[in-house]
Amino acid sequence: MEKQEQDGLLDGEFKYKKNIDGTINKRVVICTHCSKEFQFHRSNSTLKYHLNAKHAFVGAAASPGLRQTTLSERRPLGKSSLDKLTDNIAKWIAKDCRPLSIVEDKGFADVLKVASQDASYKPPARSTITIRIHELYETEKKKKEEALVHTECVALTGDHWTSLSDDNYLGVTAHLITEAWGLTSFALTIMKTEERHFAEACAEQFQTVARRWRIEEKVTTVGTDSARNMIAAARIMPFNHMPCTAHILQRCITVSLADSGFVTALAKCRKIVGHFKHSPANTAELNAEQVSLGRKQEPLAQDVPTRWNSTLEMVKRLIRNQTAVTATLDKQKHKLVLLTPPEWDKLQRLETLLEPSRYVTELLGGEAYVSCSVVLPAFCHLRRVMEVTDEDPAYVVRFKEKFKEDLASRQEHTNYAWLQIATALDPRFKDLRSVPKTDREAVWTTLAGMLHEDSPRRSHTAEEGPAKKRLSLLQMDSDSESEEELARLARRYLATPASTVPCERLFSVAGHIVNKKRSALHSENVDKLVCLSNWLKDE
């Protein structure tokens, strides 16, 4: 009988429709799960499809070939899939500074079971992840070594950092312009140091890093801060020294503020900010006042001597929240000496004075663009905005004059000759307007001499770069056939960063890795994890 009435309409999953008079209509069947009607013409293919599409986990009549599988029914992951998943876990831990112990978390295992649709999956052991991270480090390191092999000039930046466990580290980054005219930078090491930071020890540490990466003959400049030991170490090393111009600018601001009429107003600002920062109750009242005034809830910021632009940020937030701060303090009992209207006016003027310096500091700290050639034009811009006007009160005049005086003094201790050549090689500033007129001819003479010296040692590697990028970088008014020599000089001078900010960013990553729960992390693992996080950041 029609294969036992099509196997009992798939074992009871469907039934025939009853007519109004009680008779059976064998041309129409009804799904017992959703009551949907289907025309039935002795074929159950439509019925099977409906079961697998709408009721896949009900009953056992549907075809195994079409039935969806439950989590427990899926086959376990194969070896290649397991290896790929383990590699990606290791990469994630290294890239995002996650602790290795995360693979032992039960919640992490549950997430992976759902993601892999394999109820039997177990995360890799901590030792396995450690091995994979070491392998990943070696793989990525070879890529960086390959990049260094194919370049002629490398600029370094370096600085020291102390971890939570009082271990000292030297961080070093490399900067270069590739054959395809791409500016690239990456970490070389964050190396634990045992010696005191005397000049000889610091110089030897930098040279050790250069030897390990086999770039002793390629290093052009080493960028550091202007600490005395670093300046002395630079005299020992066979490389050019590039003092951090961002540090120089911030020191100018500090000195200028100390010798101006802003000291009293800033001291009051710090007291007011501390009043709210040190009391959750006071902060809550300030937030409530901000809401009542229809303003965004915004915490006040305290300035920190070692944090760049923090004084400006403190002033800006106080000015933005002046009404809320004043209203809140009027309702409280306190011993604060409040800012007077003239002092609020001083803060407005100080914000105007410091804003150009903030912009220049951030500009000089960039890694994605050429910054060395921007230093002299940026300093020239600051000198212009610090020109005294007839409307300036006496305290503003003192600030401006002290700023220009201190900046000129510190600029003399930069690698001024290197900055001049870098500026001349940058087509944006090739007119050398940021250089005194009396010095411009000497700069061009020096550059011409370099081209003449470089001419016999022509390298064919520079010709491989895209012509458009090379021409946009080296648009100079010259009828000589020295494009290749210009390219070599551009790679040499323009790769140098204007500041040591890349190292500061490296230490920010290190701070996430060597935290309170991981303060005993071995120095070799610190080095590899920090470098990997830096190397993988753009992937």
Side-chain angles (χ1 to χ4, degrees):
M1 289 181 60
E2 292 297 331
K3 198 182 176 185
Q4 295 297 318
E5 289 292 325
Q6 295 299 331
D7 297 327
L9 290 181
L10 299 183
D11 295 331
E13 304 288 350
F14 295 87
K15 61 182 181 181
Y16 290 116
K17 181 179 180 179
K18 285 187 177 181
N19 296 323
I20 298 177
D21 57 4
T23 57
I24 303 297
N25 183 355
K26 292 191 175 183
R27 292 184 178 275
V28 180
V29 295
I30 300 175
C31 175
T32 58
H33 302 292
C34 63
S35 302
K36 185 174 182 178
E37 297 183 0
F38 296 89
Q39 295 295 320
F40 182 63
H41 301 288
R42 301 179 181 178
S43 172
N44 60 10
S45 58
T46 301
L47 308 185
K48 286 182 179 180
Y49 180 84
H50 174 73
L51 283 179
N52 284 282
K54 301 296 183 181
H55 315 293
F57 300 103
V58 181
S63 170
L66 295 176
R67 178 67 62 90
Q68 295 181 11
T69 57
T70 63
L71 184 63
S72 59
E73 293 174 338
R74 181 169 181 132
R75 291 183 298 177
L77 295 175
K79 185 178 184 305
S80 61
S81 298
L82 286 172
D83 287 342
K84 186 176 181 180
L85 184 55
T86 301
D87 288 340
N88 277 277
I89 292 173
K91 187 175 182 179
W92 166 62
I93 288 175
K95 183 177 182 179
D96 294 337
C97 306
R98 301 292 97 187
L100 294 175
S101 60
I102 197 170
V103 297
E104 299 171 349
D105 293 349
K106 187 179 182 302
F108 181 67
D110 293 340
V111 169
L112 290 180
K113 286 179 182 179
V114 174
S116 63
Q117 297 187 18
D118 182 358
S120 64
Y121 176 78
K122 293 182 179 180
R126 187 170 177 169
S127 58
T128 302
I129 291 297
T130 301
I131 293 172
R132 295 298 176 91
I133 287 178
H134 283 275
E135 293 173 349
L136 179 60
Y137 173 81
E138 294 300 329
T139 300
E140 294 297 323
K141 183 180 179 182
K142 288 180 181 178
K143 296 179 183 178
K144 303 308 176 186
E145 289 175 334
E146 188 71 15
L148 293 172
V149 166
H150 289 88
T151 189
E152 295 182 6
C153 301
V154 181
L156 304 181
T157 67
D159 202 355
H160 287 94
W161 173 71
T162 303
S163 70
L164 284 174
S165 55
D166 285 332
D167 291 323
N168 292 318
Y169 290 88
L170 171 68
V172 181
T173 61
H175 306 260
L176 55 99
I177 295 178
T178 65
E179 295 178 358
W181 292 98
L183 183 64
T184 184
S185 63
F186 50 85
L188 292 183
T189 187
I190 179 163
M191 177 178 68
K192 186 176 180 180
T193 60
E194 303 288 351
E195 308 88 352
R196 292 182 180 273
H197 297 166
F198 293 132
E200 294 78 8
C202 293
E204 179 58 31
Q205 289 162 8
F206 277 104
Q207 291 177 273
T208 298
V209 174
R211 283 194 296 270
R212 287 180 181 177
W213 287 85
R214 298 185 291 278
I215 55 175
E216 307 99 305
E217 304 300 324
K218 297 184 177 183
V219 175
T220 54
T221 60
V222 174
T224 71
D225 58 26
S226 298
R228 292 184 179 180
N229 63 329
M230 287 298 190
I231 294 175
R235 298 193 189 103
I236 301 172
M237 291 186 287
F239 317 127
N240 282 281
H241 183 222
M242 181 58 65
C244 175
T245 53
H247 277 90
I248 289 174
L249 183 54
Q250 292 303 309
R251 285 301 302 160
C252 287
I253 294 173
T254 303
V255 170
S256 303
L257 286 175
D259 192 34
S260 66
F262 297 104
V263 176
T264 303
L266 289 176
K268 290 183 179 181
C269 290
R270 297 185 186 102
K271 291 287 186 180
I272 292 172
V273 173
H275 172 78
F276 291 101
K277 282 286 185 181
H278 299 152
S279 171
N282 291 341
T283 300
E285 291 178 11
L286 175 61
N287 291 340
E289 192 67 39
Q290 289 170 332
V291 172
S292 67
L293 293 172
R295 299 189 62 84
K296 175 184 175 183
Q297 287 189 356
E298 180 183 35
L300 301 181
Q302 187 66 278
D303 72 335
V304 181
T306 57
R307 188 174 298 166
W308 298 345
N309 299 320
S310 60
T311 300
L312 174 61
E313 187 62 26
M314 177 183 70
V315 170
K316 290 172 70 173
R317 293 200 187 191
L318 276 172
I319 292 173
R320 285 200 298 267
N321 295 281
Q322 178 181 354
T323 305
V325 168
T326 304
T328 304
L329 291 176
D330 287 342
K331 298 175 184 177
Q332 296 177 340
K333 292 183 179 180
H334 56 78
K335 297 181 180 180
L336 295 172
V337 180
L338 300 184
L339 291 160
T340 62
E343 287 174 330
W344 281 109
D345 181 63
K346 280 188 176 183
L347 295 182
Q348 294 276 5
R349 292 179 181 274
L350 181 59
E351 179 183 359
T352 303
L353 287 171
L354 294 183
E355 188 61 37
S357 296
R358 179 204 60 79
Y359 170 76
V360 170
T361 301
E362 294 179 357
L363 179 68
L364 298 179
E367 289 184 73
Y369 49 83
V370 172
S371 60
C372 185
S373 60
V374 180
V375 174
L376 297 184
F379 283 1
C380 184
H381 167 71
L382 289 177
R383 285 193 293 270
R384 283 199 301 270
V385 299
M386 291 296 174
E387 289 293 334
V388 176
T389 64
D390 295 337
E391 293 79 18
D392 290 337
Y395 60 89
V396 172
V397 173
R398 289 202 306 273
F399 179 91
K400 288 183 174 181
E401 290 181 344
K402 186 61 180 179
F403 183 92
K404 290 190 295 182
E405 176 189 341
D406 195 69
L407 180 61
S409 174
R410 295 179 187 276
Q411 185 172 314
E412 292 177 0
H413 296 92
T414 62
N415 195 332
Y416 193 55
W418 190 280
L419 295 176
Q420 286 180 323
I421 297 298
T423 305
L425 287 168
D426 192 322
R428 297 172 296 178
F429 313 116
K430 62 182 181 180
D431 54 12
L432 293 181
R433 290 186 180 179
S434 58
V435 177
K437 292 182 179 180
T438 55
D439 296 343
R440 293 174 189 175
E441 189 62 34
V443 174
W444 290 119
T445 302
T446 302
L447 183 56
M450 290 179 176
L451 292 173
H452 180 72
E453 292 175 5
D454 219 21
S455 182
R457 306 194 305 267
R458 288 195 176 188
S459 169
H460 296 289
T461 57
E463 296 178 350
E464 299 174 5
K468 289 185 178 179
K469 286 189 177 181
R470 183 166 65 246
L471 290 173
S472 66
L473 184 65
L474 302 171
Q475 284 178 341
M476 300 186 67
D477 297 329
S478 173
D479 56 0
S480 65
E481 298 178 357
S482 58
E483 181 182 331
E484 184 179 337
E485 287 76 21
L486 278 171
R488 288 166 60 86
L489 285 176
R491 285 193 175 95
R492 177 180 177 84
Y493 280 85
L494 299 183
T496 297
S499 71
T500 59
V501 171
C503 266
E504 304 292 340
R505 295 192 179 105
L506 207 61
F507 296 149
S508 296
V509 174
H512 288 300
I513 293 174
V514 190
N515 52 37
K516 291 182 178 180
K517 292 185 178 180
R518 306 169 74 189
S519 59
L521 200 62
H522 194 276
S523 59
E524 181 185 358
N525 292 331
V526 173
D527 182 23
K528 292 183 177 181
L529 288 171
V530 172
C531 287
L532 273 175
S533 180
N534 176 268
W535 296 344
L536 299 172
K537 64 183 178 181
D538 296 327
E539 293 188 9

